[in-house]
Amino acid sequence: MAGLMAGFGRYTHAIVRGTPESLAKGALRSSQAEVDVTIAQREHDAYVHVLRTTLGLEILELPADETLPDCVFVEDAAVVCGDTALITRPGAESRRGETEAMKGALKELNLNVVEMTDESATLEGGDVLFTGREFFVGLSKRTNQRGAEILADAFKDYAVSTVPVSEGLHLKSFCSMGGPGLIIIGSSEPAQKALKIMQQMSDHRYDKLTVPDDLAANCIYMNLPNKGHVLLHCTSEEFPESVKVFEKLKDHMLIPVSNMEKRKVDGALTCCSVLINKKANN
Amino acid sequence: MTTEAGSETEVKENAEEKSAVQLDQSEKTTEGTQEVAATEGEERQTEKEKEKEGKGITRYLPTWFKKQKSQSQTSPTKEVPPTEEPTIKVSQEEAHIPEVNGHAEEVEEKEAVGPQQQQVKEKESHSNASADTEPAGEGKVESAQKSLEGTEETTKEGAKEEKKKEEVEKEGGQGQTFIFQSPLRLVRKNKMKLVVCHVTLLDGSDFTCEVEKRAKGLFLFFKVCEHLNLLEKDYFGLTYKDHHEQKCWLDSTKEIKRQIRSNNWQFAFNVKFYPPDPSLLSEDITRYLLCLQLREDVASGRLPCSFVTHALLGSYTLQAELGDYEPDQPRPLDYISQLTFAPNQSKEMEEKILELHKSHKGMTPAQADCQFLENAKKLSMYGVDLHHAKDCEGVDIMLGVCANGLLVYKDRLRINRFAWPKILKISYKRNNFYIKIRPGETEQFESTVGFKLQNHRSAKRLWKVCVENHSFFRLNAAEQPTKARFLTLGSKFRYSGRTQNQTRLASTLIDRPAPAFERTSSKRISRSLDGAPMISITDTSREAENGREPHLELHSDSKVKEADLSPGSVEATPAQSPVRVRGDNIYVRHSKLMLEDHDKTQEEVLKHQASVSELKRSFMEAPPPSPPQLNLWEKRLTSSPAMATRVQQQTVTTEVEIEETVVVQEISKAPKAAEELQTQEVKDRDGAGLQKKHESVSSESESDEEAEYHPNVSVSISHTQIPEEKEEEEAEEEQGKKEKLTAASSPVEPEQAAAAVEEEEKQSSKEEEKKEVSTEEPMMTPDEASNGITSREEAASVAAEEEELPKVNGETSVVEARPQVICCSEPPVVKTEMVTISDTFAAQKTEIATKEVPIVHTETKTITYEAAQLDGSGDGEPGVLMTAQTITSESLCTTTTTHITKTLKGGLSETRIEKRIVITGDCDIDHDQALAQAIKEAKEQHPDMSVTRVVVHKETELAEEDD
């Protein structure tokens, strides 16, 4: 056992879920954009392909559920850290059903599954930023204080700090981890403000990588054997300026992944998978 | 004089009592009345000496040699006088004469101590003890205590004697001497009231020891550490339960009796400061104790952790206690289930623990402890001390104090965090706790965040914890001097121990072989997993012998030295003493913080100048016993108490005692002389004023509903100045007398207030006197060192204080002359601070002075103020403490202005404006002129303000030290 907080970014498994046809019309979104489900599905396939083939993760793919238009965004349904998995209670009522399949999958992986039964609590995984040393939980439209408290209860080893999210859907709509101690942050004022809060709340020092586009700040970082630092980020078609910033990360294996269609329904890269490190916990 | 007279009478009484006590206690009880008389005389002498020393000490402080000499002298005196002087003493109540004799005799005695002397010593010790006791008995106890404390030095000397008398105490060894001293003092007329203390150790066992009823916390703590064979003790502390079942840290500088609930001598040994990186600890035993604490923290739920972490930590515990997993062990689960690893321990967890335990095969206990700590330290609540509070809206929150700062939790969520660097001031008022936050990059103004605690006690407790944690983790040894000064302003309680940096430094000096210690599980021993067979040494005594016996010897030497030196100090002027006492008290209070700073600086200086001091010694005295032989270990031991002493200001008595301890240390180490000086000052004042004011002082500090602590203030200033400055002149203002009056009028401390007023008035006059005296003294010092004997009686009148001054005298006098006490119509509180000018260059006047006596203490009132700041910040909100600091640095002058508004218990508000002017410059600068100019300007700005004190501090060798 590597011990507490060792191996940040090390993953062996990923849980993903198919894209339902209902996504086009049923998925929640902050804009009025039209979504082409076919393109979205193609993007998703490419995404899973990267995880499975390029990165060698073991993929657990849940079937899409047409009654749950947002079900492809599995991240919001669970928070996994170490071998503990917290089944969330999404703030959007239409998404509450997504947790059932997720719970089953997590139990199948022999994780300690903790459920959020408190009726007053809401939490979506998109509001949870795990830095390797601590959690930041965005208090947003989808996540409330009580949800954060339950998360803190589930992961007692770690400090859990709350960060108000005034704009954007989730905390991770404008930030994510780009490495151990490296926070990728959007350049908007709310994003920068949130970063300041996080820095103030933390006992640890974080470097920041500021990208021009908030949405581009959502990346997936992994630290994989034989591959080292891996960063899945947006494509240059989507955010050319931000990609230039990523390209400065010399130590990282950079993998652009297109997410154009899903972004129309506020789906970011991290939203589409739940990453798990099984071996570390055995 | 009045005070002295009173003390004398007391002394007489005491002496009688003492004699009785002595008879009872002393092994050689059968001594004749003459002896008794002698003892009485001795006692008187000692007391007087103490007083004198205390008074004189202040002055005295500047010269290390003096201290050393004085110390050495004193000890001999004490020893000798009893035998030779008895008749004289009997006839003469006054100590002066005896002292003189004592000095002469001392030298002889040192070389050959006859049985009589030993007896005498015993008597002396008894007398000392009795003296201590007496005060208590008489009701003037406090004064007596102070004197006793002064005596403590003698006591230290008498440590040997003590050994004879108190075998029990002997256990401690040299390291214990400090402690012992206190116990000796503790001895009362009633034959020494010993109290049995029960200390719950980290392994759950109970440690029982006897402690003198008036012993300070430090004594007990040292006893426990000794029992544990713990050297890196600065991370630990003792706790007790107060009347409300709240766990409180035992203040090592105060009497235990005054802190604990009535007669409940029950304590627990705990980790006080959780080292952020336990791998940096030097000894496995320290890590082991930390592990024990953390196991308890984890098992009790105070340190929350996840299932996996519980299992992991538990498995390391098993490995450390049991060694490798043994597959053939029958039903291991049964055994494990008897151990508590977690609040909600399940079979599942136990299985997991066992499973993980298997994977640790081959790991030694020490390695397992390390792994345990490596994981535990990452837990978010590691080392976080939680306090219940409410935010401004009445919402329940938790405030967590830790190494990095102050954390704010709502339920389990961290909702805010204030790192130490962000905090400008920590204060509490009634049940409110405030922190003032440094303005952010984009913010212009400081903000103050307030929290409501359950009550006044909890607010104060939180505040104390903050002050201590900040000091321990944040303060750097290098930074301390400057910071300390500033910190000094306003607040009374300070962390008295070593900082983490200091303790780490000290740890590097540990050169003993890793001590063997027994783990809770006896199975461990048989297995000898460590490779080397484990020998469980439970007896502290054996272990103690290794490092400590040498200490004892050293101490004895030091004692002798002290004895020699002491006479000079003792000689303090009787006339002056009474007056000063009053003024001194006030002084002491405020100056305490300053002391810390000075001490630190001084320590450094001392180190650097150690060689110089030795030269001086040789020059001054033919036989100055030097303590170069100290083990590193010993050094550590000695140093820690000293540190503690300096810091603590709250209880005068306590401080005094500690100070004495310091003296011992100094003896051993030349470099610490400066510290001594400061302490001595305190002592003097205390001793003089203690009788009357002692209680009041302590009450103030303790009873205060509010206190402030400026963690970071003026850091920049200090830094910049320190390296370059050779001379610093600080002038602090004290608020008008009116404030004091108001304070006096306040229900809480009427006596104090009155005393304070008197003090102030008297101080000015006294100071002047002192100055005059001091001029002469420079000459005196050398003489004293060499002679010590003859002129003393006459010279005795010249306060020890004077002695201290000589070096600086010229400068001091100039400074002092100008500032006069001006009554302020305003209500501000008068603070007295010591301005010390340590001038290497200034020392030129006297060779000795130059090198040896870097620091001169002068009491003068200085001060100035800026009305604008007062108006703006000070008065704003009644309940809130406002501090505005303006730092202007010019070529020579740095001015710091602090406004502090407090609300006192009585509902009275106190506004203090302190202006500190620091003049920094090379030797070519005309300090006097610069100071005069500064004062002039300050007065122009604030005509209402009075100059309360001018302290000239010349630091010559700081720069070198820094290097």
Side-chain angles (χ1 to χ4, degrees):
Chain A
M1 186 136 183
L4 195 54
M5 302 183 198
F8 174 63
R10 186 140 306 175
Y11 302 110
T12 58
H13 293 64
I15 297 176
V16 298
R17 194 163 193 181
T19 311
E21 298 289 341
S22 57
L23 174 78
K25 295 186 177 174
L28 302 172
R29 69 204 72 187
S30 52
S31 66
Q32 302 298 323
E34 291 281 328
V35 177
D36 186 329
V37 175
T38 313
I39 298 177
Q41 286 174 338
R42 202 181 305 145
E43 280 179 357
H44 188 63
D45 290 343
Y47 177 89
V48 174
H49 178 78
V50 168
L51 295 181
R52 175 183 286 136
T53 308
T54 311
L55 301 177
L57 299 184
E58 203 165 309
I59 303 296
L60 199 63
E61 183 154 14
L62 304 175
D65 186 334
E66 290 300 330
T67 64
L68 300 170
D70 287 302
C71 69
V72 68
F73 305 122
V74 290
E75 177 189 49
D76 292 323
V79 177
V80 178
C81 180
D83 59 358
T84 298
L86 173 67
I87 307 301
T88 66
R89 188 169 180 276
E93 279 200 47
S94 65
R95 302 192 59 183
R96 300 263 164 84
E98 296 177 21
T99 57
E100 271 308 313
M102 179 58 68
K103 194 199 306 176
L106 292 170
K107 283 186 172 170
E108 204 169 294
L109 288 171
N110 275 325
L111 296 177
N112 300 320
V113 175
V114 180
E115 293 189 66
M116 191 176 284
T117 54
D118 192 324
E119 294 287 316
S120 65
T122 62
L123 178 77
E124 294 189 359
D127 277 318
V128 179
L129 178 67
F130 178 63
T131 69
R133 296 304 305 269
E134 62 191 315
F135 285 97
F136 293 105
V137 178
L139 297 180
S140 66
K141 301 185 187 93
R142 302 287 184 83
T143 298
N144 63 18
Q145 181 96 10
R146 183 70 189 125
E149 287 169 14
I150 293 174
L151 180 134
D153 249 347
F155 303 102
K156 292 195 180 73
D157 293 350
Y158 301 96
V160 178
S161 305
T162 54
V163 182
V165 176
S166 49
E167 297 188 23
L169 179 62
H170 287 139
L171 174 64
K172 281 195 283 191
S173 296
F174 52 77
C175 69
S176 65
M177 294 306 292
L182 175 64
I183 294 177
I184 300 173
I185 187 76
S187 56
S188 73
E189 196 176 314
Q192 292 294 322
K193 196 175 163 191
L195 176 67
K196 277 229 165 59
I197 292 172
M198 290 191 282
Q199 287 174 328
Q200 185 195 323
M201 300 276 261
S202 176
D203 296 325
H204 311 289
R205 256 188 55 86
Y206 294 106
D207 296 324
K208 63 171 180 178
L209 182 69
T210 305
V211 295
D213 310 287
D214 276 7
L215 293 176
N218 183 288
C219 304
I220 296 175
Y221 167 79
M222 295 185 214
N223 184 0
L224 301 177
N226 303 322
K227 295 191 175 60
H229 302 290
V230 176
L231 193 68
L232 277 63
H233 60 82
C234 59
T235 61
S236 56
E237 288 78 31
E238 300 166 275
F239 301 106
E241 294 305 313
S242 293
V243 170
K244 288 178 186 169
V245 176
F246 293 130
E247 284 167 353
K248 293 176 184 171
L249 294 172
K250 298 302 180 190
D251 293 339
H252 286 58
M253 175 183 195
L254 298 175
I255 305 176
V257 178
S258 175
N259 198 37
M260 199 100 67
E261 283 305 304
K262 279 183 285 189
R263 181 168 299 108
K264 292 176 181 173
V265 287
D266 303 317
L269 286 177
T270 59
C271 294
C272 301
S273 62
V274 171
L275 301 175
I276 296 158
N277 184 16
K278 273 296 288 177
K279 288 175 182 170
N281 299 316
N282 291 332
Chain B
M1 293 301 293
T2 54
T3 37
E4 289 183 350
S7 63
E8 290 178 356
T9 54
E10 294 177 357
V11 173
K12 295 176 181 178
E13 296 175 358
N14 296 336
E16 295 175 359
E17 296 175 356
K18 293 176 180 177
S19 61
V21 176
Q22 292 174 350
L23 294 176
D24 298 342
Q25 297 176 348
S26 61
E27 299 173 2
K28 305 174 182 178
T29 313
T30 23
E31 296 176 358
T33 48
Q34 293 178 352
E35 293 178 356
V36 176
T39 53
E40 291 177 354
E42 294 175 357
E43 293 175 357
R44 294 174 185 175
Q45 292 177 354
T46 52
E47 291 180 355
K48 292 178 181 179
E49 291 178 357
K50 295 173 182 177
E51 294 176 357
K52 293 176 181 179
E53 290 177 357
K55 298 173 183 179
I57 292 169
T58 345
R59 309 276 159 124
Y60 196 130
L61 300 177
T63 16
W64 315 341
F65 356 102
K66 290 180 181 178
K67 293 179 181 179
Q68 298 172 350
K69 296 174 182 177
S70 65
Q71 295 173 350
S72 61
Q73 292 174 352
T74 48
S75 59
T77 17
K78 294 176 182 179
E79 297 175 355
V80 178
T83 51
E84 297 179 355
E85 298 175 352
T87 53
I88 299 172
K89 292 178 180 177
V90 175
S91 62
Q92 297 176 349
E93 296 176 356
E94 298 177 356
H96 300 292
I97 299 175
E99 294 176 355
V100 176
N101 297 338
H103 296 295
E105 295 174 356
E106 291 174 356
V107 178
E108 298 174 358
E109 292 178 358
K110 293 177 181 178
E111 296 177 358
V113 177
Q116 294 178 350
Q117 292 178 351
Q118 293 177 350
Q119 294 177 356
V120 175
K121 291 179 180 178
E122 293 177 356
K123 294 178 182 178
E124 291 177 357
S125 62
H126 291 295
S127 64
N128 294 339
S130 62
D132 296 343
T133 315
E134 295 174 359
E138 295 178 356
K140 295 179 180 179
V141 177
E142 295 177 353
S143 60
Q145 293 175 349
K146 294 178 180 179
S147 62
L148 293 176
E149 294 175 352
T151 334
E152 291 177 355
E153 296 177 355
T154 54
T155 323
K156 296 175 180 178
E157 298 171 354
K160 299 175 181 177
E161 301 172 0
E162 295 177 358
K163 296 176 183 176
K164 298 175 182 177
K165 296 177 181 178
E166 301 175 357
E167 296 176 356
V168 178
E169 294 178 358
K170 292 177 180 179
E171 301 171 357
Q174 297 175 346
Q176 297 175 348
T177 41
F178 302 110
I179 303 172
F180 288 117
Q181 297 171 353
S182 60
L184 293 177
R185 309 174 204 159
L186 299 178
V187 179
R188 298 178 182 178
K189 52 184 176 182
N190 297 351
K191 301 178 181 178
M192 227 163 56
K193 293 178 183 175
L194 290 179
V195 180
V196 178
C197 294
H198 298 276
V199 182
T200 305
L201 302 179
L202 288 169
D203 62 1
S205 64
D206 198 49
F207 170 68
T208 304
C209 66
E210 282 189 339
V211 162
E212 208 269 291
K213 199 169 184 182
R214 314 199 76 186
K216 312 231 160 137
L218 192 64
F219 178 80
L220 179 59
F221 178 67
F222 274 29
K223 275 210 152 192
V224 174
C225 289
E226 186 177 315
H227 170 75
L228 293 169
N229 198 17
L230 173 65
L231 291 187
E232 294 175 288
K233 55 172 88 80
D234 300 286
Y235 300 96
F236 301 85
L238 293 176
T239 60
Y240 65 94
K241 293 263 182 75
D242 68 7
H243 301 271
H244 307 270
E245 288 298 316
Q246 287 287 343
K247 205 178 84 170
C248 300
W249 290 108
L250 190 66
D251 189 333
S252 59
T253 65
K254 293 189 194 170
E255 286 184 17
I256 299 170
K257 181 167 61 88
R258 294 183 174 229
Q259 303 180 58
I260 61 173
R261 187 171 47 190
S262 51
N263 264 343
N264 182 14
W265 295 73
Q266 188 78 41
F267 308 91
F269 180 80
N270 288 111
V271 173
K272 188 174 190 181
F273 304 112
Y274 290 75
D277 190 352
S279 65
L280 295 181
L281 294 174
S282 287
E283 297 198 302
D284 287 341
I285 190 171
T286 315
R287 268 187 290 273
Y288 169 67
L289 292 173
L290 179 57
C291 276
L292 290 179
Q293 174 73 67
L294 286 167
R295 286 178 198 168
E296 166 63 19
D297 292 346
V298 168
S300 67
R302 276 196 303 275
L303 179 56
C305 52
S306 65
F307 175 90
V308 178
T309 304
H310 272 306
L312 185 63
L313 295 178
S315 68
Y316 287 126
T317 298
L318 278 189
Q319 182 69 23
E321 298 294 345
L322 302 179
D324 289 349
Y325 173 80
E326 291 186 359
D328 53 344
Q329 180 173 358
R331 312 182 68 183
L333 278 178
D334 290 350
Y335 176 75
I336 289 183
S337 58
Q338 294 172 2
L339 305 174
T340 307
F341 299 99
N344 301 312
Q345 186 169 321
S346 60
K347 266 280 173 284
E348 184 187 6
M349 181 179 291
E350 290 165 5
E351 287 168 3
K352 184 75 173 174
I353 290 171
L354 268 188
E355 176 188 335
L356 292 171
H357 182 203
K358 294 175 190 171
S359 67
H360 302 325
K361 187 157 191 160
M363 201 177 275
T364 67
Q367 288 171 335
D369 282 346
C370 284
Q371 287 302 312
F372 179 97
L373 294 175
E374 281 306 296
N375 284 279
K377 78 175 186 188
K378 293 175 184 168
L379 296 169
S380 77
M381 299 305 287
Y382 172 84
V384 178
D385 184 17
L386 288 178
H387 298 253
H388 288 281
K390 289 181 191 294
D391 66 9
C392 54
E393 296 171 348
V395 177
D396 284 320
I397 57 172
M398 299 285 277
L399 295 176
V401 185
C402 67
N404 295 321
L406 187 64
L407 304 168
V408 186
Y409 294 91
K410 183 171 183 306
D411 295 313
R412 290 186 179 276
L413 296 176
R414 185 184 292 181
I415 58 175
N416 213 339
R417 172 180 176 271
F418 302 98
W420 292 129
K422 285 279 285 181
I423 299 177
L424 288 172
K425 191 169 89 176
I426 308 167
S427 57
Y428 73 96
K429 181 187 260 180
R430 299 203 188 89
N431 64 333
N432 295 311
F433 174 79
Y434 303 96
I435 53 176
K436 180 189 268 183
I437 310 301
R438 187 186 299 278
E441 299 172 358
T442 59
E443 302 161 327
Q444 275 190 320
F445 302 103
E446 303 154 342
S447 55
T448 298
V449 183
F451 302 95
K452 276 217 177 310
L453 277 289
Q454 288 166 321
N455 50 47
H456 163 64
R457 288 189 321 278
S458 47
K460 182 177 182 181
R461 194 167 57 239
L462 171 60
W463 179 79
K464 277 184 162 184
V465 170
C466 283
V467 169
E468 293 191 315
N469 273 270
H470 172 270
S471 299
F472 186 79
F473 290 111
R474 175 79 180 146
L475 291 188
N476 210 314
E479 295 177 354
Q480 287 179 355
T482 40
K483 285 184 178 180
R485 294 174 188 169
F486 289 94
L487 292 177
T488 310
L489 299 176
S491 57
K492 292 148 191 170
F493 173 83
R494 289 296 118 99
Y495 174 61
S496 59
R498 287 187 289 202
T499 66
Q500 180 175 233
N501 281 327
Q502 289 170 324
T503 195
R504 280 179 180 168
L505 202 65
S507 296
T508 61
L509 301 180
I510 297 178
D511 61 350
R512 67 173 177 180
F517 53 93
E518 184 178 6
R519 289 168 188 273
T520 51
S521 161
S522 56
K523 294 183 179 180
R524 163 114 232 98
I525 302 172
S526 59
R527 293 195 180 182
S528 73
L529 296 176
D530 291 337
M534 293 283 297
I535 300 173
S536 62
I537 300 176
T538 318
D539 290 356
T540 322
S541 58
R542 293 183 186 175
E543 297 176 356
E545 291 181 1
N546 302 338
R548 295 182 182 176
E549 289 191 350
H551 279 290
L552 293 175
E553 295 177 358
L554 294 175
H555 283 289
S556 61
D557 293 350
S558 60
K559 294 175 182 178
V560 177
K561 295 176 182 178
E562 291 182 359
D564 296 345
L565 297 176
S566 61
S569 61
V570 176
E571 295 173 352
T573 358
Q576 292 180 351
S577 61
V579 179
R580 284 188 179 181
V581 174
R582 296 178 184 177
D584 291 345
N585 289 343
I586 296 174
Y587 194 170
V588 174
R589 271 191 261 146
H590 297 286
S591 62
K592 291 180 179 181
L593 294 176
M594 298 296 295
L595 290 179
E596 290 185 1
D597 300 349
H598 291 295
D599 291 345
K600 297 174 181 178
T601 330
Q602 292 175 350
E603 288 182 356
E604 296 178 357
V605 176
L606 292 176
K607 294 176 182 176
H608 295 285
Q609 295 180 342
S611 59
V612 177
S613 61
E614 291 185 0
L615 292 176
K616 293 178 181 179
R617 291 182 200 164
S618 58
F619 176 80
M620 299 296 288
E621 299 177 358
S626 60
Q629 303 171 350
L630 292 179
N631 299 341
L632 297 179
W633 194 77
E634 295 175 350
K635 289 180 180 178
R636 285 188 281 137
L637 290 179
T638 45
S639 63
S640 64
M643 296 292 297
T645 310
R646 302 167 188 170
V647 178
Q648 304 162 349
Q649 298 174 347
Q650 292 182 348
T651 310
V652 178
T653 344
T654 312
E655 293 180 358
V656 176
E657 293 179 358
I658 296 172
E659 292 174 356
E660 293 178 357
T661 321
V662 176
V663 177
V664 176
Q665 296 177 350
E666 291 177 352
I667 298 171
S668 58
K669 300 177 181 179
K672 293 182 179 179
E675 296 179 355
E676 291 182 358
L677 293 176
Q678 295 177 350
T679 36
Q680 289 177 350
E681 290 184 356
V682 178
K683 292 178 181 177
D684 293 343
R685 296 175 183 177
D686 292 347
L690 289 181
Q691 296 176 347
K692 297 179 181 178
K693 294 181 178 181
H694 168 72
E695 293 178 356
S696 62
V697 174
S698 60
S699 65
E700 284 187 3
S701 57
E702 295 179 358
S703 64
D704 280 357
E705 293 188 349
E706 26 171 85
E708 301 174 356
Y709 177 74
H710 302 253
N712 298 315
V713 181
S714 72
V715 174
S716 60
I717 298 177
S718 61
H719 285 292
T720 52
Q721 293 179 351
I722 297 175
E724 299 176 354
E725 296 178 357
K726 294 182 179 177
E727 300 177 358
E728 293 181 357
E729 295 181 0
E730 298 177 358
E732 293 183 354
E733 302 177 5
E734 294 181 353
Q735 297 178 345
K737 296 176 181 178
K738 292 182 179 179
E739 292 181 350
K740 291 182 178 178
L741 292 175
T742 54
S745 62
S746 67
V748 179
E749 305 169 352
E751 296 178 357
Q752 296 179 349
V757 176
E758 294 177 359
E759 292 177 357
E760 292 179 354
E761 295 175 355
K762 293 178 180 178
Q763 284 183 352
S764 60
S765 61
K766 293 177 180 179
E767 292 176 355
E768 294 177 358
E769 295 177 359
K770 294 176 181 178
K771 295 175 181 178
E772 295 176 358
V773 176
S774 63
T775 48
E776 297 176 358
E777 291 180 355
M779 298 301 295
M780 295 300 293
T781 352
D783 294 349
E784 292 177 356
S786 58
N787 303 339
I789 304 168
T790 24
S791 58
R792 293 291 161 114
E793 296 178 354
E794 297 176 357
S797 61
V798 179
E801 301 172 352
E802 296 176 0
E803 296 178 355
E804 298 177 356
L805 298 178
K807 304 167 183 178
V808 184
N809 294 342
E811 296 179 357
T812 328
S813 60
V814 177
V815 177
E816 294 176 354
R818 294 172 185 170
Q820 294 179 351
V821 179
I822 301 172
C823 299
C824 300
S825 56
E826 299 177 356
V829 178
V830 179
K831 286 187 175 181
T832 321
E833 292 190 3
M834 296 293 298
V835 178
T836 327
I837 301 179
S838 56
D839 225 313
T840 337
F841 301 96
Q844 296 171 351
K845 304 172 183 177
T846 309
E847 293 180 357
I848 300 168
T850 347
K851 298 176 181 178
E852 295 180 347
V853 187
I855 300 172
V856 177
H857 293 277
T858 311
E859 296 177 353
T860 314
K861 307 195 175 177
T862 310
I863 295 296
T864 332
Y865 252 93
E866 297 184 1
Q869 293 183 352
L870 286 175
D871 298 344
S873 58
D875 301 341
E877 301 175 5
V880 180
L881 299 175
M882 302 292 294
T883 305
Q885 298 180 348
T886 307
I887 301 171
T888 312
S889 41
E890 300 172 357
S891 57
L892 294 177
C893 233
T894 302
T895 304
T896 306
T897 306
T898 308
H899 296 264
I900 302 170
T901 304
K902 295 180 181 179
T903 303
L904 298 179
K905 288 181 180 178
L908 300 174
S909 66
E910 214 179 57
T911 303
R912 240 188 269 138
I913 301 177
E914 302 169 357
K915 189 170 203 167
R916 177 179 296 188
I917 303 172
V918 179
I919 301 174
T920 311
D922 295 342
C923 50
D924 17 4
I925 295 175
D926 184 341
H927 303 280
D928 298 337
Q929 194 169 24
L931 180 59
Q933 183 63 23
I935 294 172
K936 184 181 175 186
E937 291 178 0
K939 283 188 177 178
E940 288 177 357
Q941 288 179 331
H942 304 279
D944 295 345
M945 301 302 294
S946 62
V947 176
T948 310
R949 170 157 298 156
V950 175
V951 178
V952 180
H953 187 175
K954 296 191 178 182
E955 300 174 357
T956 307
E957 299 182 358
L958 282 179
E960 296 178 2
E961 294 178 359
D962 293 342
D963 299 347

